[in-house]
Amino acid sequence: MSELRRVLVLNGPNLGRLGSREPDVYGSTSYAGLVKACEQTGAELGFAVEVRETNDEGELVRWLHEAADGKIPVVINPAAFTHYSYALRDAAAQRTAPLIEVHISNPHARESFRHTSVISAIASGTIAGFGVNSYLLALRALSELPE
Ligand code: DQA
């Protein structure tokens, strides 16, 4: 039996508070629910999905280095770092496998500071505005990309 393909699902600041954080914007699914949904969909697609979250920019950078070194595909919701973290962008630019940017809300339908993403230009693609389903759509998109 061939080994499952690893995928890292990385989450930036405040996403660990999903479920209680602004549910009108981000929905009622908890972070634990997001983890479960990603693991479940990942398993259906033949992925070993590892979901992580941090409020720390440096930790996200280190995880992107780990993904680059291990040729591991990434689904990332950089949260507020999306809009201004050149450090994260530079780390993501080193990717050696597909990287999909996801957002729960649709940042383009919100405040103007959310209309800029410093990540999008180096991502394989972006999925936004479908709630927690954005992550599951990203995993499906990954499964159809060449390794
Ligand atoms: C977000 C959108 C960002 O603008 C915001 O800072 C977040 C979450 C989303 O998933 O909709 O923290 O990335």
Side-chain angles (χ1 to χ4, degrees), residues 13-15 21 25-26 77-83 102-107 110 113-114 135:
N14 299 301
L15 291 167
R21 174 194 185 192
V25 179
Y26 298 109
N77 185 343
F81 292 143
T82 305
H83 312 302
V102 298
H103 300 283
I104 296 166
S105 67
N106 175 1
R110 301 179 62 196
F113 76 87
R114 297 185 203 275
Y135 291 76

Side-chain angles (χ1 to χ4, degrees), residues 43-121:
E44 282 164 27
L45 296 167
F47 292 139
V49 171
E50 193 182 327
V51 187
R52 302 179 186 173
E53 63 89 15
T54 181
N55 292 322
D56 179 353
E57 186 180 17
E59 187 147 38
L60 274 176
V61 167
R62 285 189 289 276
W63 289 344
L64 287 171
H65 292 170
E66 177 189 337
D69 291 344
K71 296 188 170 54
I72 306 168
V74 169
V75 171
I76 185 167
N77 185 343
F81 292 143
T82 305
H83 312 302
Y84 67 91
S85 175
Y86 298 127
L88 206 59
R89 181 212 159 95
D90 285 353
Q94 297 171 53
R95 68 182 177 81
T96 52
L99 178 146
I100 301 182
E101 175 189 359
V102 298
H103 300 283
I104 296 166
S105 67
N106 175 1
H108 295 283
R110 301 179 62 196
E111 303 95 321
S112 57
F113 76 87
R114 297 185 203 275
H115 298 178
T116 299
S117 167
V118 300
I119 307 295
S120 293

